Amino acid sequence: MATDSASHLHTAAEPSRDAVIDLLGMLSYGQLVAFDQMSRDARLAPDLRRRALLSQLAAAELTHYQRLADELAQLGVQPEQAMRPFVVALEDFHASTQPSDWLEGLVKVVVGDGIADDFHREVANFVGEKYREVVLAVLHDNRLYDYAVREVRAAIAADPSKGDALALWARRLIGEAMGQAQRVAAERESLVRLVIDGSGSLTGVVELFKRLTHAHTERLRLLGLSS
Amino acid sequence: MATDSASHLHTAAEPSRDAVIDLLGMLSYGQLVAFDQMSRDARLAPDLRRRALLSQLAAAELTHYQRLADELAQLGVQPEQAMRPFVVALEDFHASTQPSDWLEGLVKVVVGDGIADDFHREVANFVGEKYREVVLAVLHDNRLYDYAVREVRAAIAADPSKGDALALWARRLIGEAMGQAQRVAAERESLVRLVIDGSGSLTGVVELFKRLTHAHTERLRLLGLSS
């Protein structure tokens, strides 16, 4: 099969088995904590209709977990073993960014899951066709983002003073996320190797992070939270 | 279509629209709180494998919610409107019976959802063929009960001293559940009517509650919690 997309040009070799296991493990645990977070957030809903909707979106997201667990099993790895290295960083991120109300929860979904999905979409290009498809299949559903963006915009339109506090919240989220991402990078060399090898050069890595930053800024604009 | 089962012999008339809406509303809200409770309980899991499994079972249960919401919509009722009368009783039940550990959570699933499912299975016979099918379709999955029973039995086998505390917990659960059921009965005449008309006589109602009590005792035995 031809791999003619630009992002494949630099890929020197197949990714290491360790890198694939780390990526699938990180995604698996990400699914569990996202489910946990969204089912908590549903409790913050201002009414039963919204509570039901977010509960349903949370449940729908978790269906991806089995796919990842199956792929890990095929690699001869227990999912819990692959997830373990990421538990502390992801738990710390969520513990330090517990939404205090419905809108903070939705902003967290868009900003936090949004940048995580963007990163995974980039890395998907570095793991070969088979795992690329797996990673793309487990990204969050657009329905979720669309819903969250609509809700946040409507709330700010109704009460513009909410925008400032939520913009501050978004900055805190991204700060905490970057802190934990650095921690993971410091501990999981295989993932760092994957990004560097996949990007082809340090310039490539810089470009990748520029794209993530740009998409993040775009999301803030969409939410009505850009300054 | 012939309705020749014994439980239909006494059914004098079609159930009232109010009774059907109440039943579907109670089931809908029951789904939301069961999802909420199980996703909380997943956090109490002693390891990632068990946490993933209970999260998956919670997500699977919530798929039933849409079916109920669709049926209510067909009756021209907003789901949140139909759920509202049951919010306080169900929230109070869950607030007063928050599991403090993994095993208490699983005993609550078996005992609490078990007796609720039994009650709904009985009432399903009183609402006509169409809604009977709906009610039966949204009962909890046996996989959930089987899993919970296995876990609790294994834990008691490993440490028999746990049995006494869990037996006490099961008694508290059933006491709280009965208290809230009486509260619902006092407020929702349509549901009381449904049970009395469906049972055909007060003797029939007594028989129904005898069957519920018997099945509950049987579940305690299965869990290894009978005295």
Side-chain angles (χ1 to χ4, degrees):
Chain A
M1 204 171 286
T3 56
D4 56 355
S5 89
S7 47
H8 282 89
L9 288 178
H10 303 294
T11 314
E14 279 292 290
S16 73
R17 183 172 175 276
D18 281 359
V20 171
I21 291 169
D22 268 356
L23 181 61
L24 298 180
M26 184 167 66
L27 282 164
S28 301
Y29 195 63
Q31 295 277 336
L32 287 190
V33 290
F35 171 77
D36 182 52
Q37 182 67 59
M38 284 170 65
S39 59
R40 277 179 206 239
D41 292 349
R43 225 169 293 145
L44 299 171
D47 56 49
L48 290 174
R49 187 179 62 75
R50 289 178 167 89
R51 175 171 166 184
L53 184 59
L54 198 64
S55 299
Q56 288 183 291
L57 290 169
E61 288 299 327
L62 196 72
T63 57
H64 297 146
Y65 177 83
Q66 194 57 53
R67 174 78 191 268
L68 295 163
D70 292 345
E71 294 293 343
L72 283 165
Q74 278 184 33
L75 286 162
V77 184
Q78 299 276 356
E80 49 274 25
Q81 185 189 334
M83 290 192 278
R84 204 159 294 128
F86 306 101
V87 169
V88 173
L90 278 164
E91 288 297 325
D92 281 1
F93 170 68
H94 284 286
S96 64
T97 57
Q98 270 307 307
S100 65
D101 65 24
W102 174 243
L103 293 174
E104 285 193 2
L106 294 178
V107 168
K108 183 171 170 181
V109 165
V110 177
V111 169
D113 294 344
I115 201 162
D117 276 357
D118 282 347
F119 177 68
H120 297 138
R121 204 180 282 109
E122 292 276 357
V123 177
N125 288 320
F126 308 151
V127 289
E129 200 52 41
K130 179 185 168 177
Y131 292 111
R132 178 169 180 276
E133 195 231 308
V134 175
V135 173
L136 296 182
V138 304
L139 300 181
H140 293 79
D141 194 311
N142 276 333
R143 274 191 315 158
L144 175 60
Y145 290 128
D146 293 347
Y147 173 68
V149 167
R150 269 201 316 280
E151 280 279 294
V152 172
R153 288 183 72 97
I156 295 175
D159 177 2
S161 76
K162 285 194 169 134
D164 291 342
L166 289 175
L168 203 66
W169 169 245
R171 275 203 289 284
R172 211 180 107 205
L173 288 172
I174 213 70
E176 295 284 346
M178 291 302 102
Q180 297 302 334
Q182 279 165 16
R183 183 161 157 189
V184 169
E187 288 172 10
R188 305 309 290 178
E189 216 199 310
S190 67
L191 284 177
V192 176
R193 272 268 60 91
L194 183 73
V195 172
I196 296 175
D197 289 352
S199 304
S201 66
L202 282 179
T203 317
V205 176
V206 171
E207 290 299 324
L208 187 158
F209 282 98
K210 269 195 195 158
R211 288 194 294 278
L212 294 185
T213 306
H214 177 75
H216 168 65
T217 309
E218 189 56 26
R219 262 191 300 274
L220 290 184
R221 202 190 51 73
L222 220 91
L223 285 164
L225 297 181
S226 47
S227 43
Chain B
M1 203 172 283
T3 55
D4 56 356
S5 88
S7 47
H8 281 87
L9 288 179
H10 305 295
T11 314
E14 279 291 289
S16 73
R17 183 171 175 275
D18 281 359
V20 170
I21 291 170
D22 269 356
L23 180 60
L24 297 179
M26 183 167 69
L27 282 165
S28 301
Y29 195 64
Q31 296 275 336
L32 287 190
V33 290
F35 171 78
D36 181 53
Q37 182 67 58
M38 284 170 66
S39 58
R40 279 180 204 236
D41 292 349
R43 226 170 292 144
L44 299 171
D47 57 50
L48 290 173
R49 186 180 63 76
R50 288 180 167 88
R51 176 171 166 183
L53 183 60
L54 198 64
S55 298
Q56 289 183 293
L57 290 169
E61 288 298 327
L62 197 71
T63 57
H64 298 146
Y65 177 83
Q66 195 56 53
R67 173 78 191 269
L68 294 163
D70 291 345
E71 294 292 344
L72 283 164
Q74 278 186 31
L75 286 163
V77 184
Q78 301 275 355
E80 50 274 26
Q81 185 189 333
M83 289 191 278
R84 201 157 298 128
F86 306 100
V87 168
V88 173
L90 278 163
E91 288 297 324
D92 281 2
F93 170 67
H94 283 286
S96 64
T97 57
Q98 270 308 308
S100 64
D101 65 25
W102 175 242
L103 293 175
E104 284 192 3
L106 295 179
V107 168
K108 184 171 168 180
V109 165
V110 177
V111 169
D113 293 344
I115 201 162
D117 276 357
D118 282 346
F119 177 68
H120 297 138
R121 202 178 285 112
E122 292 275 356
V123 176
N125 288 320
F126 307 151
V127 288
E129 201 52 42
K130 178 184 169 180
Y131 292 109
R132 177 169 180 273
E133 195 230 306
V134 175
V135 173
L136 295 182
V138 304
L139 300 181
H140 292 79
D141 194 311
N142 276 332
R143 275 192 315 160
L144 174 61
Y145 290 128
D146 292 348
Y147 172 70
V149 166
R150 270 201 314 279
E151 280 279 294
V152 173
R153 288 183 71 97
I156 295 176
D159 176 3
S161 76
K162 284 192 170 136
D164 290 343
L166 288 175
L168 204 64
W169 169 245
R171 273 202 289 284
R172 210 179 108 207
L173 288 172
I174 214 70
E176 294 285 346
M178 291 302 102
Q180 296 302 333
Q182 279 166 14
R183 185 162 156 189
V184 169
E187 288 172 10
R188 306 309 289 179
E189 215 198 308
S190 68
L191 284 177
V192 175
R193 272 269 56 94
L194 183 71
V195 171
I196 296 177
D197 289 351
S199 303
S201 66
L202 282 178
T203 317
V205 176
V206 171
E207 290 299 321
L208 187 159
F209 281 98
K210 268 195 194 161
R211 288 194 295 276
L212 294 185
T213 306
H214 177 75
H216 168 66
T217 309
E218 189 57 24
R219 266 191 299 274
L220 290 185
R221 203 190 51 73
L222 220 93
L223 285 163
L225 297 181
S226 47
S227 43

